[in-house]
């Protein structure tokens, strides 16, 4: 019933408990999960999970925060994205939250990495999984510069674990992107984010855990996993005067459309 559109099941704290996690998913009616790549060196783990389990899929990409790792060329991203059960490109984007003494100008390597992901996604016609933190203006600007305008030639994609302003949400929607909400939506200090979730067009909404991080209330402080994604749906349902089951159906359909899945 529920689909977790973004999780990191290859991370050790989850990978070593896979049987228990899958059992919990079944109990919580979480039928599918998208396992997200953050480094090319770890991509075989991500892809291996998608190949091992028929309700998991994979992306290929290098997180903007990952430094000292294999740099992704357009050619390498294109090659890996054509493997079976790879349905998206990313996690990619920009993150200026921890500059550690550097200037924004010094982060040109991050912007070029982002452009490589966009160009690869456009070549293979797969959606982008976008991470943006303290960098939304540049994120939107680069997407526009690279031709992401919602047209047929665009890759499209999703702004994952959305925590930005209503202005950024509308800019993403204008470019044809989806918006994904995580357990942050349930946090007490997330009133502004709940307001956005209250008016967001439902045909552009996804739900996710971003596990092992950001466990939703009432599980805050625990290691997050895909079985907790119904709590995100529950919060959206309460905001919209709907049922969790309705949100599950809508967001799963959106997942199918964005990632071109039929099951």
């Amino acid at each position: 019933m529920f689909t977790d559109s973004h999780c990191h099941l290859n991370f050790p704290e989850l990978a070593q408990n896979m049987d228990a996690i899958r059992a919990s998913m079944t109990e919580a009616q979480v039928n599918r999960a998208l396992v997200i790549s953050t480094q090319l060196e770890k991509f075989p783990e991500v892809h291996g999970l998608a190949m091992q389990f028929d309700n998991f899929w994979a992306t290929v990409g290098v997180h903007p925060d990952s430094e000292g790792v294999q740099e992704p060329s357009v050619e390498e991203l294109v090659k890996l994205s054509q493997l079976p059960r790879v349905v998206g490109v990313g996690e990619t984007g920009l993150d200026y939250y921890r500059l550690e003494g550097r200037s924004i100008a010094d982060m040109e390597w991050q912007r070029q990495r982002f452009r490589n992901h966009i160009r690869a996604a456009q070549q293979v016609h797969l959606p982008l999984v976008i991470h943006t933190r303290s960098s939304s203006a540049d994120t939107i600007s680069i997407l526009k510069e690279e031709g992401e305008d919602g047209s047929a030639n665009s890759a499209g994609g999703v702004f994952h674990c959305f925590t930005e302003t209503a202005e950024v949400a509308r800019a993403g929607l204008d470019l044809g992107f989806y918006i994904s909400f995580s357990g942050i939506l349930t946090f007490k200090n997330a009133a502004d984010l709940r307001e956005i979730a209250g008016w967001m067009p439902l045909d552009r909404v996804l739900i996710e855990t971003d596990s092992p991080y950001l466990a939703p209330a009432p599980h805050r402080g625990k290691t997050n996993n895909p079985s907790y994604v119904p709590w995100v749906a529950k919060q959206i349902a309460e905001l919209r005067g709907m049922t969790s089951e309705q949100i599950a159906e809508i967001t799963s359909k959106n997942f199918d459309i964005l990632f071109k899945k039929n099951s």
Side-chain angles (χ1 to χ4, degrees):
M1 177 187 296
F2 296 93
T3 301
D4 184 354
S5 68
H6 192 112
C7 57
H8 300 283
L9 294 179
N10 66 306
F11 285 17
E13 54 266 62
L14 297 178
Q16 63 189 3
N17 296 307
M18 191 58 60
D19 289 345
I21 287 170
R22 287 182 58 80
S24 296
M25 289 174 63
T26 299
E27 185 176 357
Q29 296 184 289
V30 180
N31 300 335
R32 304 180 298 180
L34 180 58
V35 188
I36 303 295
S37 170
T38 60
Q39 297 179 21
L40 292 185
E41 291 89 338
K42 299 296 181 67
F43 171 73
E45 298 174 1
V46 172
H47 188 237
L49 286 168
M51 294 298 290
Q52 182 178 359
F53 301 108
D54 63 6
N55 61 336
F56 290 169
W57 286 272
T59 67
V60 59
V62 180
H63 193 287
D65 264 349
S66 294
E67 297 189 54
V69 298
Q70 180 183 342
E71 201 60 38
S73 66
V74 174
E75 294 74 19
E76 186 71 7
L77 290 169
V78 166
K79 176 184 175 182
L80 295 175
S81 69
Q82 295 180 83
L83 291 173
R85 304 190 69 76
V86 177
V87 297
V89 176
E91 180 171 352
T92 184
L94 300 174
D95 194 322
Y96 300 159
Y97 183 70
R98 295 186 182 90
L99 293 176
E100 298 178 348
R102 296 171 292 189
S103 70
I104 289 176
D106 293 332
M107 307 305 284
E108 179 57 30
W109 62 272
Q110 218 179 72
R111 292 185 286 274
Q112 185 57 53
R113 178 187 287 179
F114 186 24
R115 292 181 189 277
N116 285 354
H117 283 79
I118 297 169
R119 294 168 186 174
Q122 290 170 345
Q123 283 192 36
V124 295
H125 306 292
L126 289 179
L128 292 153
V129 178
I130 302 292
H131 169 109
T132 182
R133 190 178 189 192
S134 302
S135 58
S136 57
D138 278 0
T139 299
I140 295 294
S141 178
I142 289 173
L143 286 169
K144 290 180 177 179
E145 289 170 12
E146 293 294 331
E148 286 300 309
D149 56 7
S151 67
N153 294 324
S154 301
V158 56
F159 282 72
H160 106 90
C161 193
F162 192 81
T163 56
E164 301 291 336
T165 64
E167 181 183 13
V168 176
R170 291 190 177 95
L173 293 172
D174 288 344
L175 296 181
F177 279 72
Y178 289 67
I179 304 293
S180 181
F181 295 101
S182 70
I184 293 174
L185 195 66
T186 70
F187 295 0
K188 289 182 180 180
N189 62 352
D192 289 349
L193 191 59
R194 284 189 287 274
E195 183 176 347
I196 294 170
W199 60 255
M200 180 68 54
L202 283 174
D203 63 353
R204 297 284 197 90
V205 173
L206 296 178
I207 56 176
E208 64 171 274
T209 60
D210 201 14
S211 51
Y213 311 116
L214 305 172
H219 298 289
R220 288 200 69 178
K222 296 181 180 179
T223 299
N224 202 3
N225 73 79
S227 72
Y228 291 165
V229 81
W231 291 99
V232 183
K234 180 177 183 291
Q235 180 67 81
I236 297 174
E238 291 173 356
L239 293 168
R240 308 297 291 244
M242 301 170 69
T243 66
S244 294
E245 291 75 17
Q246 287 173 311
I247 298 300
E249 181 178 357
I250 290 167
T251 54
S252 290
K253 179 180 178 182
N254 293 343
F255 178 89
D256 291 344
I257 294 169
L258 177 60
F259 292 104
K260 303 175 179 66
K261 300 309 304 171
N262 297 314
S263 62

